[in-house]
Amino acid sequence: MRIYKTKNYDEMSRKAANIISAQMILKPESVLGLATGSSPIGTYKQLIEWYKKGDLDFSQIRSINLDEYKGLDASNDQSYAYFMRHNLFDHVNIQPANTYIPNGMEKDVEKECARYNKIIHKLGGIDLQLLGIGSNGHIGFNEPSDSFAKETHCVDLTNATIQANARFFDSIDEVPKQAYTTGIKNIMNAKHILLIANGEKKADALYRSLFGPITPACPASILQLHDDVSIVADEAALSEIIKINVNEDWL
Ligand code: F6R
């Protein structure tokens, strides 16, 4: 595992975009596992800028998103499908047919999970999985629990997540209570994992994930078992780790 310390959100975003760019250049038909939320917005902006300069080509890239709210349609401006179009897909030359995201409107949970798992398997796995982290240690919408969920499943969002995500909605009552998410096994099967984190709110979760016990009570802690993980985080998100005097070679 490598931890890259950055001064702030902008530097985190540029560094993360650099790692994604390297992947895209080395393998133009890469399968990118993508995330939504506040953390990756700057990374996507940077990728768009480099695409516009002619440095990046998305024409053969395939993307598979981590999650989607259950009950939200792709045209709803709070859906993750909308987020991805607005923050990345509409601005680069990715082929819409090569972008995948769970269908939040599918009521048949088993059917949707099976469909999504099939897509991941058919794509041959994920080359680079971009992750944010919840302040409760969730990755994707794999919430703290007493076991690790393997593949795509439907989750009941925890109150902490509903409250954290309420900032994007007019009221907390509008935040969906369930979501489809890829599972821990899907994430862990990615060849390379890139986790980004910024701000003090993430400091405790990041510390527990990287240096605490490996437990489903902190889902991101499973990343300690992955062979190829890059963490790009700003000083505030790393503040709890810096306190334990971790060997400077790590940062
Ligand atoms: C989003 C996702 C979530 C977020 C996490 C952090 O697709 O899978 O795990 O990465 O909730 O969200 P932000 O970046 O908004 O702090």
Side-chain angles (χ1 to χ4, degrees):
M1 181 177 296
R2 285 206 183 134
I3 305 178
Y4 299 93
K5 180 173 74 177
T6 68
K7 279 197 180 53
N8 50 35
Y9 180 83
D10 286 346
E11 202 183 306
M12 174 197 82
S13 303
R14 265 202 317 281
K15 179 109 30 206
N18 263 308
I19 294 172
I20 298 171
S21 299
Q23 172 68 44
M24 291 175 61
I25 291 165
L26 291 171
K27 185 176 176 192
E29 71 285 12
S30 288
V31 177
L32 301 180
L34 298 179
T36 56
S38 310
S39 309
I41 291 178
T43 305
Y44 294 151
K45 269 200 184 124
Q46 184 63 78
L47 291 174
I48 293 167
E49 203 180 305
W50 287 334
Y51 162 73
K52 288 195 169 148
K53 279 191 179 154
D55 291 342
L56 284 179
D57 176 20
F58 287 77
S59 63
Q60 297 178 68
I61 292 291
R62 283 84 47 81
S63 75
I64 181 118
N65 264 79
L66 282 166
D67 40 22
E68 178 60 285
Y69 287 118
K70 184 156 181 277
L72 295 193
D73 165 293
S75 62
N76 186 309
D77 62 6
Q78 296 306 333
S79 72
Y80 287 165
Y82 182 97
F83 175 101
M84 288 310 300
R85 291 196 306 275
H86 183 72
N87 288 294
L88 182 65
F89 299 156
D90 284 354
H91 310 285
V92 296
N93 66 336
I94 198 163
Q95 295 181 45
N98 286 342
T99 65
Y100 301 93
I101 194 154
N103 175 7
M105 292 309 282
E106 178 55 68
K107 291 201 175 94
D108 185 336
V109 169
E110 247 178 64
K111 186 175 158 198
E112 179 55 15
C113 295
R115 182 190 75 88
Y116 209 61
N117 285 329
K118 210 167 148 195
I119 293 170
I120 300 175
H121 297 155
K122 219 171 147 188
L123 289 172
I126 296 167
D127 290 300
L128 183 151
Q129 175 66 61
L130 176 63
L131 294 176
I133 182 169
S135 45
N136 61 3
H138 75 210
I139 44 177
F141 272 139
N142 292 277
E143 296 282 41
S145 150
D146 47 18
S147 63
F148 288 112
K150 294 182 187 72
E151 298 201 274
T152 310
H153 57 291
C154 180
V155 281
D156 293 330
L157 299 177
T158 59
N159 280 337
T161 299
I162 292 171
Q163 273 170 26
N165 290 2
R167 67 191 194 277
F168 299 114
F169 291 81
D170 288 338
S171 85
I172 194 159
D173 299 330
E174 286 178 31
V175 185
K177 307 290 179 285
Q178 288 189 310
Y180 284 112
T181 181
T182 57
I184 293 294
K185 185 177 167 194
N186 301 124
I187 293 172
M188 289 295 281
N189 275 344
K191 293 188 186 95
H192 182 81
I193 293 179
L194 168 60
L195 184 142
I196 55 176
N198 70 289
E200 240 178 76
K201 276 191 191 152
K202 302 293 172 71
D204 178 58
L206 203 55
Y207 170 74
R208 288 188 294 116
S209 302
L210 306 189
F211 293 93
I214 298 169
T215 161
C218 180
S221 62
I222 194 79
L223 300 178
Q224 293 177 44
L225 296 181
H226 195 284
D227 281 342
D228 197 4
V229 179
S230 304
I231 311 288
V232 181
D234 72 356
E235 283 167 4
L238 287 169
S239 55
E240 289 297 318
I241 292 172
I242 290 167
K243 269 189 209 159
I244 60 163
N245 265 334
V246 63
N247 182 341
E248 277 293 317
D249 292 348
W250 278 64
L251 302 170

